[in-house]
Amino acid sequence: MMVASRKIRLVMELRRAGIADTDVLSAIERIPREAFTPESFRHQAYENMAIPIGQGQTLSQPQVVALMTQALRASRRTKVLEVGTGSGYQAAVLSRLCRRVYTIERFKELLQVAEARFTELRLHNITTRHGDGWKGWREQAPFVRIMVTAGAGGRPGALVDQLAEGGLMVLPVGRTSRDQALLRLTRTADGLVEEHLSDVRFVPLVEGVPDDAVGLTSGFIQRSEGLA
Ligand code: SAH
């Protein structure tokens, strides 16, 4: 099957799954997911499945990307923070919907590959940083939208602090892949309002940055099968 027809099939599947926001669907149509997968998974780029991207991490299932993007309610005027750049695919989708995307990744190798993809695809409104996203991006705060693409054990305090009043944060909470929930937090003048969006399975959010001296292949392999 041709890429175009695979894409149409995927978008139809997303519609059936309840993704109704046409801006989100067209952003997904415009970003070539095959450019964000390892070579060996390219033929499955438009299947509704998660794809391993190295370092034990995964590119989320398109349905989860679409659901999270829709839940974020971004607009052309918004500045978004994404925690967990990974392959760069989610940031690329967001870049078509918002003014600017700030994205943080703790694995330098993954970030460098993602950066090369952004340049290649001329996605010039994405700013990257190698570091611990659990701490947020203080110099650029506050953000009206924050998306976390790795499962935290609880509410990330620094990120909540960097969320503007009236702002939204979409994040999976729950450390084990069996009891994770996708939440949307809204920061109001009176505090946080929490909505449960769905059950999900994400790789864990890990505090700190891998120690280069230890070597990336030795210490940070995580299970990736079956994760979102
Ligand atoms: N949004 C990504 C999904 C990547 S999976 C995509 O579209 O491909 C989650 C990513 O979060 C992994 O790359 C992982 O290394 C990263 N991550 C986990 N904890 C982190 C932290 N504390 N700071 C920054 N990135 C983190």
Side-chain angles (χ1 to χ4, degrees):
M1 216 193 298
M2 302 285 290
V3 166
S5 47
R6 287 194 193 139
K7 250 188 199 183
I8 291 166
R9 194 182 58 181
L10 176 64
V11 168
M12 275 161 48
E13 197 171 333
L14 298 179
R15 281 181 186 278
R16 275 199 303 277
I19 309 299
D21 187 323
T22 51
D23 291 338
V24 171
L25 291 169
S26 77
I28 285 177
E29 245 184 282
R30 280 161 62 198
I31 297 296
R33 193 165 181 260
E34 69 272 23
F36 294 86
T37 72
E39 192 76 51
S40 54
F41 283 91
R42 222 144 268 184
H43 64 292
Q44 288 170 301
Y46 294 99
E47 301 295 321
N48 194 8
M49 61 181 255
I51 291 179
I53 56 172
Q55 313 294 352
Q57 306 304 316
T58 55
L59 164 50
S60 303
Q61 192 188 347
Q63 194 172 319
V64 174
V65 170
L67 178 70
M68 291 178 80
T69 308
Q70 176 170 273
L72 201 65
R73 295 192 188 135
S75 84
R76 283 264 155 242
R77 291 188 308 280
T78 50
K79 176 170 108 174
V80 179
L81 173 66
E82 183 203 19
V83 174
T85 316
S87 69
Y89 178 72
Q90 174 72 74
V93 169
L94 286 170
S95 79
R96 300 299 83 193
L97 296 162
C98 348
R99 183 164 60 80
R100 183 156 287 278
V101 181
Y102 292 86
T103 182
I104 309 178
E105 170 58 50
R106 61 191 288 280
F107 281 117
K108 204 179 236 160
E109 282 74 1
L110 290 179
L111 191 64
Q112 284 167 346
V113 175
E115 284 167 345
R117 290 166 175 155
F118 300 151
T119 307
E120 172 84 27
L121 296 170
R122 299 171 192 277
L123 304 173
H124 298 306
N125 62 339
I126 304 175
T127 308
T128 60
R129 173 184 254 185
H130 174 234
D132 182 0
W134 182 258
K135 300 194 180 82
W137 193 320
R138 210 173 306 139
E139 299 81 355
Q140 290 298 336
F143 295 92
V144 289
R145 298 291 185 266
I146 299 178
M147 183 188 285
V148 184
T149 65
R155 284 184 190 179
L159 294 178
V160 170
D161 288 344
Q162 292 175 26
L163 188 62
E165 198 176 308
L168 303 179
M169 168 152 53
V170 173
L171 76 167
V173 171
R175 269 224 180 268
T176 68
S177 53
R178 252 172 304 137
D179 64 6
Q180 263 184 17
L182 187 64
L183 304 181
R184 177 165 59 194
L185 304 179
T186 306
R187 185 165 182 171
T188 71
D190 306 323
L192 288 177
V193 175
E194 180 179 307
E195 293 162 273
H196 178 280
L197 303 176
S198 84
D199 293 324
V200 282
R201 290 203 280 170
F202 272 84
V203 293
L205 190 127
V206 183
E207 282 182 65
V209 172
D211 181 357
D212 283 338
V214 173
L216 285 161
T217 46
S218 58
F220 292 91
I221 303 295
Q222 289 152 359
R223 225 171 46 83
S224 68
E225 322 89 67
L227 294 165

